[in-house]
Amino acid sequence: MPNFQVLFSGQVAENANVSQVQENLARELGLNANKVKQLFSGRTVVIRSQLDQTEAQVWQAKLAQLGAVVRIKDLTPKDEVATYSGGKNTADQTLRDITAAHLECPRCGHLQLDTSHCARCGTDLVAAFKQKRKEDLLIEKKIRELREKQHGPVTPTPAPIVAEVDDAPPPKKNILGWLRRG
């Protein structure tokens, strides 16, 4: 996956003229005068991104010929192997005990201590988890809507009707029975 960037911070080669480098970059990158001034403001600017390593090196060489000093940044996540050297009773510890205070970044998957920003990619974890929760709720809603379309609206089944049972014994037939009917 191409994941390299070519970065420029406004530095020029030792023997290069700044105005000549500005003109060369404007011509090569197709920029107007205002954009070129922004390139030389001292801030780091991404010239090209999502390049293979060889493409990034070609751009670095091309811009070096024009007098600009650029650097290449690799954005590929590094595989960090987490090692744990516990005491004598490591068999008693579970994965949950070891990773209880750890979070996994929703963007890059980096496992780290509970912090506000990812140590690898710099993502704001609180905002990312809120966004992920919103997306999960939207997905659940869509699933419910699709199920209702397929199976009709889900209605709760009515509770069975239980007839009241009169525990009183039936009236005895006797002379006063006609009084009880009324």
Side-chain angles (χ1 to χ4, degrees), residues 102-115:
H102 289 79
L103 289 175
E104 184 176 342
C105 176
R107 181 173 178 220
C108 69
H110 179 63
L111 189 65
Q112 60 194 349
L113 289 175
D114 188 7
T115 61

Side-chain angles (χ1 to χ4, degrees), residues 73 75 105-110 112 115-128:
K73 183 175 182 181
L75 299 176
C105 176
R107 181 173 178 220
C108 69
H110 179 63
Q112 60 194 349
T115 61
S116 62
H117 289 79
C118 177
R120 182 185 290 163
C121 67
T123 300
D124 182 5
L125 295 176
V126 174

Side-chain angles (χ1 to χ4, degrees), residues 147-164:
R147 284 185 181 156
E148 286 180 1
K149 283 182 182 178
Q150 290 176 349
H151 304 293
V154 179
T155 57
T157 56
I161 299 173
V162 179
E164 288 184 344

Side-chain angles (χ1 to χ4, degrees), residues 55-75:
E55 292 173 325
Q57 290 171 345
V58 167
W59 271 99
Q60 185 179 30
K62 183 188 302 186
L63 295 174
Q65 289 176 349
L66 299 176
V69 177
V70 297
R71 63 185 174 96
I72 297 172
K73 183 175 182 181
D74 182 7
L75 299 176

Side-chain angles (χ1 to χ4, degrees), residues 29-58:
L29 301 175
L31 301 175
N32 61 24
N34 291 332
K35 294 287 185 179
V36 172
K37 286 182 184 177
Q38 289 176 354
L39 284 179
F40 287 87
S41 67
R43 293 180 137 185
T44 302
V45 179
V46 178
I47 302 292
R48 292 284 187 258
S49 64
Q50 296 182 350
L51 300 171
D52 291 332
Q53 186 174 8
T54 54
E55 292 173 325
Q57 290 171 345
V58 167

